[in-house]
Amino acid sequence: MSEHRFEADPSRVVIVLPGIRYTPAHPLLHYARLVALSHRWTVREVWWDAPSGEVDWLAWVGAAARDAIAAEPGRRVAYVAKSLGTLAIPVAAEQSIPGLWLTPLLGRPEVRAAMRQLPPSTILVGGTADETWDEEAARASGLQVHEVPQGDHVLEIAGNPLRSVDALRAMVVAVDQFFTSLGAS
């Protein structure tokens, strides 16, 4: 596991947890970083090399999320996570940490149960063509939901690059709203 850090206000840190094959360099997380920096949040990107073989992914991601928080003592923390990284939702719920959860793995009962304890500034983002997205579970959480019609697991619309760019722009607006909702302090 490694990290990249982009400094802004050192009292506020957003921890970026990627997907298994969706690194922080990919568009959704790249633009989330740019938006966070524009709101003066320091960004700590976790880059991981996923272990092979039988892995308890919930425990593995949870440990990475806890380690990232522990490395930021005394700082205000938020998460931005994509797919596999959203298995940190139970950790965020335990510690009342707000997050922007991109294509959360809502098929996991631990994730669905923990969503009910997340802070209200939390946003869930998913696409209707993504088999890991469960609109009913997302809406039942009481959290803010941003849905991409016909969006797949990377929030793109198959065969339609122009609509995919529009979806990316809408997601960037949701990221901006998330950081605006967190305020300056």
Side-chain angles (χ1 to χ4, degrees), residues 58 63 76 175:
L58 189 69
R76 185 170 176 212
V175 174

Side-chain angles (χ1 to χ4, degrees), residues 35 123 146 167-180:
V35 171
I123 301 177
H146 175 79
L168 176 61
R169 184 183 193 297
M171 191 282 308
V172 171
V173 169
V175 174
D176 188 68
Q177 291 169 344
F178 172 67
F179 283 102
T180 298

Side-chain angles (χ1 to χ4, degrees), residues 91-182:
V91 173
E94 287 169 10
Q95 300 186 13
S96 197
I97 296 173
L100 176 72
W101 306 99
L102 304 167
T103 65
L105 302 180
L106 300 180
R108 297 290 301 252
E110 307 91 342
V111 169
R112 283 194 316 275
M115 287 188 320
R116 295 183 198 102
Q117 281 81 46
L118 291 170
S121 55
T122 297
I123 301 177
L124 305 174
V125 181
T128 62
D130 178 4
E131 60 191 42
T132 69
W133 181 248
D134 181 336
E135 178 184 4
E136 186 176 314
R139 299 218 185 271
S141 72
L143 299 168
Q144 299 173 65
V145 174
H146 175 79
E147 196 168 68
V148 177
Q150 298 177 323
D152 61 16
H153 195 59
V154 292
L155 302 178
E156 293 179 355
I157 291 81
N160 198 323
L162 293 178
R163 285 194 51 225
S164 295
V165 169
D166 289 342
L168 176 61
R169 184 183 193 297
M171 191 282 308
V172 171
V173 169
V175 174
D176 188 68
Q177 291 169 344
F178 172 67
F179 283 102
T180 298
S181 77
L182 297 180

Side-chain angles (χ1 to χ4, degrees), residues 22-44:
Y22 198 95
T23 72
H26 283 86
L28 298 172
L29 296 177
H30 167 77
Y31 284 105
R33 172 176 35 93
L34 295 179
V35 171
L37 290 168
S38 78
H39 282 267
R40 304 286 306 138
W41 280 73
T42 290
V43 178
R44 179 185 180 151

